[in-house]
Amino acid sequence: MIELNYEIKRDEKDETKIYSPDTPFRKFNNLVKIEGPNSIGKSTILHLIGLGFYGLKKEGVHKALIKKMNHLLHSERNKIMFNVTITDGNLKLVCKKEDPNTTDIKVYQEINGKKENLSQERFEQEYNLIYDIPNDPTERLKQAPTEIQEAQTRYGNKVGQLREYVNTLITQVRNQKNPAAIKDQTEKVDTLTKNLDGLNKELPDLITRLDLLKKHHYTTRYNYYKTKQEEIDKTVDDLKKQKSKIKRGAEKRSKEYVQDMSELTQILDISKARFDKLTGLLRNLISIKKYMIHLEIFEKINIYDVTRTLILDKNLANGLSTFNVALDELYKKQVDEEKVKESKLYESLIATLQDYSESSIRLPGLKSSISEFITALKKMNEQNKKVVILADNISNSKTLIEDLDKDVSAINSILPKLRKSREAPGNKTEEYSEDEELLKKLVDEKKVIDAKLERYKSEYTLLGKPNTEEAISLIQGVLSCYKSYSEDELDEEINRLTTSISQKTRSQSYTDELLKKEKENLKRMNEAKPHKYYEYLDKLLNIEQVTKTLQSRLLSEFSDYIYKLNSGSVNIAKVSAKEKRYYDEIFDYIGKRIDIVTHINKDYKVKKVDLINEVIITKEGKEISFSDMGTGQSQSAYFKNKLSVPRSDKRKIIALFDEVAMMDKKSLQPILDRIKELHKEKRLLAGIIIKYNDELKIEEF
């Protein structure tokens, strides 16, 4: 039974009128067809029921009906109150608007006397309001996918809710006693314990190595630069004394001499840089006594002295030749070329794989991840580090010797011209002092040495000024692996060790804390009881994957297809086979919903409704164009589609159809039959059809 009462107070300017329902409209059956003249309140009944049960916010309601309901509720001319009650057995559904000055509408249901207020969301979970008029039915038949879109969204959300529930179960299963999870957790604890033990063992060794390396390096460099400073100070003092003794200042030189001397000085500047770099390398490479004597002599060479004497120290060329031989002997004796090749291969592999270190890809034949493989390669390459550095430093030293040999040739080619122009009489117009120029070079060199000495003295002092002999001898014992390292390489190694110790100390602390937590987790897992669904974990995981895929298809992939169908942008020749299959299924589904269509006084069983080509295809193979259908026939097809709600949709239907005047008895009968069928199946709560007639008729069906 449907009970309805309302009061509409309407300002009509010349008067204010109050409208309320006539007696026949106050109470009628749940399934009813109302016919009557215009302006007697037939449509008002549907407007108020639609308005009361959230019709303004319902997708798919025709815009003309939205406009009517909006006018009733929001127009300043109207002040309305209403009460609608739909009763079916022990169910009572009510909507009421009690205050004419607000837009508030109360909606609730009573089941066996128990009242529950219904929000829009809650209402739409329980009820399906179908409120429509058959305006332009063939065109609106093409909008049928909109309802399918709503269903897809609704089911997509339900699948999402199922997925959330399954995920909750999976979490619960994993958090309760789970032998497989306990095994994994035990392995995790064992791995962390092993890592922590490794760090606890490795860190003291690294700290000891760093301390010894600092002791050796800073003491050795401090003493070396202290000696160099003393030597250069003595050279400067000797040069100043000699200059003072002979009281010689700037002399007149020829323009050619000054130009040649400038060229020589430029070569010497480059040679000096190469010489210093070479002696630094040789100091760490040469350990054989016979070559050590040559190195001591070689290191004392003053490259710039040639500007005063115009004679290049022969020990330079002799030393270069001697050390070239010594380096060849050293390479042959200590460099394993296979290890050098192996190291280059590892470095190449590491560089190539580094960009994929975060990838989960596993290389064929390897059980480890790419990240783990890179770590293993680095560890293996660490064993080759000593021989690679030795090979590189020998190679760099030989390159410097080759360059210095060329410098010697260039210097010796300039010296005869300088000697000749210095001794030649006349044409000496430029003031030039070889002693002054040499002093400048020595002063610049001294600044560099002083800066380095200051740095190493500070580090040496912080270490407590270790015993020099003991510190230097470390390179022959526990630090022998660093014997071939240059000064810069030892500085880099100290920085690397310092950084490594800092990182491993943090890792030690983090691993220790994490291990404590994971041990607690393992203890909790061992003490927990197994979950009742533990044996079904694999099935739950499979369901989670299936629901994830299904949710994505319903809410994303299929939603895109529906959008294209509604917007008329489908080019069937260019769509994928998967998309085409989807459209075919949609067309078959709409065909099943309509079931039978009447065309030119004959009924046809519908196979599919092709919304792209706008034709209805019958079981007999007939194709009926939308444009060829009569108005009443197309209205009938449209309403049948609206009422063909899938059985999986358990919501109770409230069907309201207005303005069906163009439908004759034959076109209307399938709609009435469908409404009765739905009510018999207890799937429909109310069905009201409004039709024009000169006389008022209210028929139950």
Side-chain angles (χ1 to χ4, degrees):
M1 188 64 63
I2 299 175
E3 298 172 79
L4 178 143
N5 197 10
Y6 63 82
E7 180 183 284
I8 303 175
K9 189 180 289 186
R10 181 170 294 152
D11 180 4
E12 298 181 354
K13 295 302 180 181
D14 62 331
E15 62 177 325
T16 298
K17 291 194 72 172
I18 296 176
Y19 297 93
S20 59
D22 292 336
T23 301
F25 294 158
R26 291 178 183 269
K27 189 174 183 178
F28 45 86
N29 194 275
N30 289 43
L31 309 185
V32 67
K33 180 176 65 160
I34 301 175
E35 298 183 13
N38 293 329
S39 300
I40 63 169
K42 304 188 305 299
S43 294
T44 302
I45 295 171
L46 300 193
H47 295 338
L48 291 175
I49 295 173
L51 180 62
F53 294 127
Y54 298 107
L56 278 177
K57 298 177 181 179
K58 169 72 175 177
E59 289 284 340
V61 175
H62 194 278
K63 60 184 179 181
L65 298 176
I66 295 287
K67 185 176 180 181
K68 293 276 189 181
M69 289 187 287
N70 256 321
H71 178 74
L72 272 175
L73 186 63
H74 297 291
S75 173
E76 292 181 0
R77 295 178 59 196
N78 294 325
K79 300 291 182 181
I80 69 168
M81 295 185 293
F82 62 84
N83 188 324
V84 178
T85 301
I86 304 175
T87 305
D88 187 25
N90 61 354
L91 169 66
K92 185 182 288 186
L93 182 65
V94 179
C95 65
K96 59 171 62 176
K97 184 177 182 297
E98 298 173 314
D99 187 344
N101 297 310
T102 71
T103 58
D104 296 339
I105 300 172
K106 296 177 182 178
V107 181
Y108 63 89
Q109 66 179 5
E110 286 184 17
I111 300 176
N112 293 324
K114 186 177 180 181
K115 181 178 176 181
E116 178 190 1
N117 291 323
L118 300 176
S119 64
Q120 182 191 352
E121 182 180 5
R122 183 77 182 95
F123 177 85
E124 291 184 353
Q125 289 174 351
E126 298 292 331
Y127 301 96
N128 181 9
L129 175 68
I130 300 175
Y131 182 21
D132 216 332
I133 52 175
N135 285 12
D136 198 0
T138 53
E139 187 62 32
R140 294 184 66 201
L141 189 60
K142 290 186 284 182
Q143 301 302 315
T146 301
E147 296 173 34
I148 296 170
Q149 169 71 72
E150 291 176 26
Q152 284 180 176
T153 301
R154 188 168 62 254
Y155 290 124
N157 290 333
K158 285 187 176 181
V159 170
Q161 291 168 0
L162 173 60
R163 184 183 169 205
E164 287 179 11
Y165 175 67
V166 170
N167 271 321
T168 300
L169 285 178
I170 290 170
T171 302
Q172 290 173 355
V173 170
R174 285 174 167 166
N175 284 342
Q176 290 186 242
K177 192 162 188 176
N178 178 338
I182 289 173
K183 182 183 176 184
D184 291 342
Q185 185 67 12
T186 302
E187 290 176 358
K188 191 174 185 179
V189 168
D190 290 345
T191 300
L192 286 170
T193 302
K194 185 179 178 181
N195 291 344
L196 186 60
D197 289 345
L199 288 167
N200 289 339
K201 182 181 178 182
E202 186 181 7
L203 265 172
D205 292 342
L206 286 176
I207 292 168
T208 300
R209 177 182 287 196
L210 177 61
D211 290 343
L212 291 173
L213 192 58
K214 283 183 175 181
K215 185 177 180 181
H216 164 74
H217 183 53
Y218 296 148
T219 303
T220 302
R221 296 303 159 191
Y222 166 70
N223 281 282
Y224 172 75
Y225 284 111
K226 184 181 177 186
T227 302
K228 289 288 288 182
Q229 186 189 60
E230 290 168 354
E231 288 175 357
I232 203 165
D233 284 343
K234 185 177 182 303
T235 302
V236 170
D237 288 343
D238 289 346
L239 195 57
K240 286 180 178 179
K241 286 176 184 177
Q242 184 180 352
K243 183 181 175 187
S244 175
K245 187 176 179 181
I246 62 176
K247 296 180 179 178
R248 186 173 69 186
E251 298 183 21
K252 294 289 185 179
R253 301 294 187 197
S254 67
K255 193 172 184 180
E256 291 77 7
Y257 176 86
V258 174
Q259 288 174 346
D260 290 340
M261 184 57 75
S262 175
E263 183 182 349
L264 175 63
T265 303
Q266 289 176 6
I267 296 171
L268 290 174
D269 288 341
I270 296 170
S271 299
K272 182 66 169 67
R274 288 170 176 163
F275 180 84
D276 289 343
K277 193 170 183 180
L278 177 62
T279 53
L281 288 168
L282 292 175
R283 213 177 298 123
N284 295 286
L285 292 170
I286 302 299
S287 58
I288 301 174
K289 191 172 182 180
K290 67 175 180 177
Y291 293 124
M292 289 290 290
I293 296 169
H294 287 283
L295 183 56
E296 288 175 12
I297 296 170
F298 192 74
E299 283 187 307
K300 291 179 180 178
I301 295 171
N302 184 350
I303 292 275
Y304 289 111
D305 200 41
V306 70
T307 60
R308 295 172 61 250
T309 63
L310 298 185
I311 298 172
L312 187 60
D313 192 332
K314 291 181 180 180
N315 287 320
L316 179 59
N318 292 338
L320 294 174
S321 177
T322 300
F323 298 132
N324 208 25
V325 173
L327 290 170
D328 286 340
E329 290 178 5
L330 181 64
Y331 187 89
K332 189 174 181 181
K333 186 177 180 181
Q334 296 191 20
V335 175
D336 185 338
E337 290 188 341
E338 286 303 314
K339 286 189 176 181
V340 174
K341 289 179 183 177
E342 186 180 279
S343 177
K344 288 182 178 178
L345 173 62
Y346 289 161
E347 287 176 358
S348 178
L349 285 171
I350 290 167
T352 302
L353 295 172
Q354 199 67 54
D355 290 340
Y356 307 94
S357 60
E358 301 300 322
S359 171
S360 59
I361 297 171
R362 292 188 178 265
L363 297 173
L366 291 177
K367 293 182 179 179
S368 58
S369 66
I370 291 178
S371 177
E372 291 167 338
F373 184 52
I374 290 172
T375 301
L377 287 174
K378 287 180 177 178
K379 191 172 182 180
M380 291 169 68
N381 203 31
E382 190 68 26
Q383 300 170 8
N384 298 324
K385 189 174 182 180
K386 178 183 173 182
V387 72
V388 170
I389 287 177
L390 177 61
D392 287 344
N393 284 343
I394 290 173
S395 176
N396 292 337
S397 297
K398 288 181 71 66
T399 300
L400 288 167
I401 288 172
E402 185 181 340
D403 291 338
L404 280 167
D405 271 332
K406 292 176 183 177
D407 293 343
V408 168
S409 298
I411 292 167
N412 283 329
S413 69
I414 295 172
L415 290 178
K417 293 192 292 180
L418 282 167
R419 288 194 289 267
K420 184 178 179 181
S421 59
R422 186 167 73 178
E423 300 301 329
N427 199 28
K428 296 180 178 180
T429 58
E430 307 290 329
E431 285 191 357
Y432 190 85
S433 172
E434 289 83 357
D435 293 342
E436 288 292 339
E437 294 300 320
L438 181 56
L439 274 171
K440 288 179 184 178
K441 296 292 182 184
L442 290 171
V443 169
D444 289 342
E445 186 179 355
K446 186 176 183 303
K447 288 178 181 177
V448 175
I449 291 170
D450 287 347
K452 290 201 171 189
L453 179 62
E454 185 65 29
R455 179 209 160 192
Y456 287 118
K457 182 181 179 181
S458 173
E459 298 286 0
Y460 172 70
T461 304
L462 284 172
L463 291 172
K465 298 184 178 180
N467 179 273
T468 301
E469 188 176 337
E470 181 187 327
I472 292 174
S473 67
L474 289 170
I475 203 69
Q476 303 301 329
V478 292
L479 299 179
S480 59
C481 60
Y482 296 114
K483 190 180 285 187
S484 61
Y485 279 47
S486 67
E487 179 181 344
D488 289 342
E489 286 167 340
L490 286 174
D491 277 334
E492 288 174 8
E493 180 66 5
I494 286 171
N495 288 334
R496 187 190 71 79
L497 285 172
T498 302
T499 302
S500 179
I501 288 168
S502 176
Q503 290 173 342
K504 289 180 186 295
T505 300
R506 289 196 298 270
S507 180
Q508 181 189 46
S509 176
Y510 172 77
T511 305
D512 186 47
E513 288 298 317
L514 184 59
L515 181 57
K516 289 175 184 176
K517 291 179 183 177
E518 296 302 343
K519 281 182 175 179
E520 284 296 320
N521 287 338
L522 181 59
K523 181 182 177 183
R524 177 183 53 75
M525 291 169 71
N526 277 316
E527 292 173 351
K529 293 181 180 180
H531 195 280
K532 63 180 180 179
Y533 293 141
Y534 166 68
E535 293 181 3
Y536 304 101
L537 179 59
D538 288 342
K539 289 185 178 180
L540 286 171
L541 291 169
N542 183 56
I543 292 171
E544 196 280 332
Q545 283 299 313
V546 170
T547 52
K548 180 181 178 181
T549 302
L550 184 56
Q551 184 184 18
S552 174
R553 286 184 177 175
L554 287 169
L555 298 181
S556 179
E557 183 182 350
F558 292 170
S559 180
D560 290 342
Y561 295 163
I562 284 286
Y563 174 79
K564 288 167 67 176
L565 196 58
N566 272 336
S567 62
S569 60
V570 178
N571 184 341
I572 201 68
K574 293 184 178 181
V575 301
S576 66
K578 187 177 181 181
E579 188 174 346
K580 185 177 185 301
R581 182 185 170 192
Y582 176 83
Y583 295 138
D584 286 340
E585 294 289 344
I586 291 293
F587 300 160
D588 288 349
Y589 172 68
I590 296 172
K592 288 175 184 176
R593 289 178 65 168
I594 292 175
D595 190 31
I596 294 173
V597 66
T598 302
H599 180 60
I600 313 179
N601 297 321
K602 186 176 180 181
D603 292 340
Y604 294 95
K605 193 78 172 174
V606 178
K607 181 181 180 183
K608 67 165 61 178
V609 178
D610 185 340
L611 299 178
I612 296 174
N613 296 307
E614 299 184 13
V615 294
I616 294 175
I617 301 168
T618 69
K619 295 279 187 180
E620 297 83 359
K622 181 183 286 295
E623 292 190 3
I624 304 170
S625 171
F626 288 1
S627 301
D628 293 337
M629 295 180 69
T631 303
Q633 294 165 351
S634 58
Q635 287 179 350
S636 179
Y638 174 71
F639 280 138
K640 283 168 71 177
N641 174 64
K642 294 286 285 187
L643 288 169
S644 296
V645 179
R647 289 186 177 277
S648 57
D649 188 344
K650 302 299 183 183
R651 298 176 300 164
K652 286 193 175 291
I653 298 167
I654 300 170
L656 312 174
F657 294 142
D658 199 358
E659 299 181 14
V660 298
M662 298 299 292
M663 297 175 66
D664 59 18
K665 186 175 181 180
K666 187 174 183 178
S667 298
L668 187 58
Q669 193 57 48
I671 310 304
L672 301 178
D673 291 343
R674 180 59 180 157
I675 290 175
K676 286 189 285 186
E677 181 184 354
L678 288 168
H679 187 258
K680 186 177 180 181
E681 294 172 354
K682 299 189 181 304
R683 296 172 61 201
L684 183 136
L685 181 62
I688 305 174
I689 295 176
I690 302 295
K691 187 177 182 182
Y692 172 80
N693 199 320
D694 289 335
E695 297 180 6
L696 177 63
K697 293 182 182 179
I698 299 179
E699 296 180 7
E700 299 177 4
F701 60 89

